[in-house]
């Protein structure tokens, strides 16, 4: 399909989580009436919390629901960055690898698992190793970014194929008009 509208997909939650993700608890949790959740226990992301204005989400551990922040849980994924993700530099950098200006656009060319460093090639042809906190995803209309994982909320068919509810996709750029 060539494009879908913003209301036809759902975006990942804060911290790159999605409803249904299996996560691992990273903090000890305890409540007198509810019980406790140990570090290392597995849970499931249920959705955004109405309490946190987009900053919190609900996780189920066993039969109990807990409100979480992204740093309190982890998902076993290699990297939040993917080769081909469009980025914008948040820093100026000049070294033996090249020169990058604040606001310069580039793409991720390497994203090693478990590392805070990624390699990006920028418009000025510099290919530099940079901390992931020193770049941001390029923002598109509707708050989406190239590389965002989205899930279809509608069924559509056109000359290029069929999109079903729940199909997973990756944002590759802005659609027409």
């Amino acid at each position: 399909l060539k494009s879908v509208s913003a209301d036809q997909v759902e975006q990942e939650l804060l911290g790159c989580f999605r409803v249904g993700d299996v996560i691992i608890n990273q903090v000890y949790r305890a409540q007198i009436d509810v019980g406790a959740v140990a570090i290392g226990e597995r849970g499931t992301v249920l959705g955004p919390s109405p309490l946190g204005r987009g900053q919190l989400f609900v996780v189920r551990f066993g039969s109990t629901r807990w409100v979480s922040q992204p740093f309190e849980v982890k998902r076993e994924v290699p990297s939040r960055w993917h080769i081909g993700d469009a980025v914008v530099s948040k820093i100026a950098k000049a070294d033996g690898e090249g020169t990058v200006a604040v606001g310069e656009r580039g793409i991720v060319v390497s994203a090693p698992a478990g590392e805070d460093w990624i390699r990006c090639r920028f418009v000025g042809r510099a290919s530099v190793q940079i901390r992931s906190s020193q770049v941001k995803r390029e923002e598109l209309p509707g708050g989406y970014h190239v590389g965002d994982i989205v899930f279809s909320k509608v069924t559509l068919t056109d000359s290029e194929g069929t999109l079903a509810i729940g199909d997973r996709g990756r944002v590759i750029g802005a659609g027409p008009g």
Side-chain angles (χ1 to χ4, degrees):
L1 294 174
K2 292 182 181 175
S3 65
V4 295
S5 66
D7 65 335
Q8 295 173 322
V9 295
E10 66 179 338
Q11 194 168 17
E12 289 179 319
L13 301 171
L14 184 68
C16 297
F17 292 98
R18 179 175 181 255
V19 173
D21 279 348
V22 175
I23 51 84
I24 299 171
N25 188 43
Q26 297 293 292
V27 296
Y28 178 76
R29 303 162 188 264
Q31 250 184 299
I32 294 172
D33 296 345
V34 178
V37 178
I39 293 173
E41 263 189 69
R42 293 190 186 284
T44 304
V45 175
L46 299 179
S49 169
L51 305 175
R53 294 192 321 253
Q55 302 300 306
L56 303 171
F57 50 89
V58 179
V59 178
R60 183 181 61 233
F61 293 100
S63 62
T64 308
R65 294 173 183 227
W66 296 83
V67 173
S68 289
Q69 297 177 56
F71 71 87
E72 296 175 326
V73 297
K74 74 175 182 178
R75 186 171 39 134
E76 294 178 313
V77 295
S79 173
R80 74 179 200 123
W81 297 98
H82 304 280
I83 293 171
D85 284 353
V87 296
V88 177
S89 177
K90 293 167 40 178
I91 65 160
K93 179 178 180 173
D95 60 23
E97 296 181 308
T99 302
V100 177
V102 173
E104 191 169 342
R105 298 173 62 214
I107 61 165
V108 175
V109 295
S110 175
E115 296 291 328
D116 185 40
W117 293 93
I118 57 176
R119 180 164 295 277
C120 299
R121 183 172 27 258
F122 289 90
V123 174
R125 294 315 226 179
S127 179
V128 299
Q129 186 170 320
I130 192 166
R131 288 194 183 278
S132 59
S133 61
Q134 295 172 327
V135 293
K136 63 181 180 180
R137 291 176 189 248
E138 185 174 18
E139 189 166 326
L140 299 172
Y144 289 97
H145 300 85
V146 170
D148 279 355
I149 302 297
V150 294
F151 300 86
S152 175
K153 294 167 44 178
V154 298
T155 298
L156 296 172
T157 301
D158 71 7
S159 62
E160 294 186 19
T162 300
L163 178 71
I165 293 173
D167 280 355
R168 181 180 190 264
R170 181 179 304 277
V171 175
I172 59 171

